[in-house]
Amino acid sequence: GQGQTVKAALQAFIGTTFAAIFESLVLGAAAGVKGETMFEVFGSSGVSSPLFKGCSKLIMERKFKDTGSQIATMYKDLGITMNMAKENGAAMFATAAAYELFRSGISLFPDEDNWSIVKLLEQIAGTEVTW
């Protein structure tokens, strides 16, 4: 019913938001910006949210396991979203990219939480997001 549809749409929103948070924090860190600065600026801007604050805090504190948001669940949910999009002819460019990012993340960190994907991006950029 509509509950499953709304959940799939919400997961697209959350998954793409996670990807944006991960990428923006890694970009800033790679360019030499302190995590604390990004947390304060992003957290007081129009994109501030409990999702951003909670996620970025866990990343900067390097807590990637047992935080209650396992990568396997998000990967599964984004798969459901992508299947629903295909069935309904909806283009999901950003969600498809987030799904592929989570696919890579789950292959490297199958027992960790969503935030662990930032470690993949950090490895590529040769940086680490910390306070």
Side-chain angles (χ1 to χ4, degrees):
Q2 282 194 332
Q4 288 288 27
T5 302
V6 171
K7 181 179 180 193
L10 177 60
Q11 292 307 100
F13 185 47
I14 293 171
T16 57
T17 302
F18 279 154
I21 291 168
F22 303 157
E23 289 182 355
S24 63
L25 291 174
V26 170
L27 173 61
V33 179
K34 291 182 179 181
E36 183 178 3
T37 301
M38 289 186 285
F39 186 83
E40 289 176 11
V41 172
F42 297 178
S44 62
S45 75
V47 299
S48 181
S49 68
L51 182 67
F52 165 74
K53 289 179 179 179
C55 175
S56 59
K57 186 175 180 187
L58 289 167
I59 289 168
M60 291 186 220
E61 292 175 355
R62 314 307 288 171
K63 294 181 181 176
F64 299 113
K65 278 187 98 166
D66 302 322
T67 66
S69 189
Q70 196 172 46
I71 194 171
T73 303
M74 179 57 71
Y75 177 68
K76 173 192 66 78
D77 289 346
L78 286 173
I80 292 168
T81 300
M82 293 306 297
N83 286 334
M84 184 177 290
K86 183 178 178 182
E87 291 169 4
N88 290 282
M92 303 291 285
F93 299 107
T95 305
Y99 181 64
E100 292 303 320
L101 184 60
F102 275 83
R103 181 191 312 257
S104 297
I106 199 169
S107 71
L108 294 171
F109 313 107
D111 298 322
E112 295 190 20
D113 293 342
N114 293 316
W115 346 115
S116 65
I117 291 173
V118 84
K119 294 189 291 185
L120 165 65
L121 299 172
E122 289 172 334
Q123 183 179 7
I124 293 168
T127 193
E128 187 172 288
V129 178
T130 60
W131 290 110

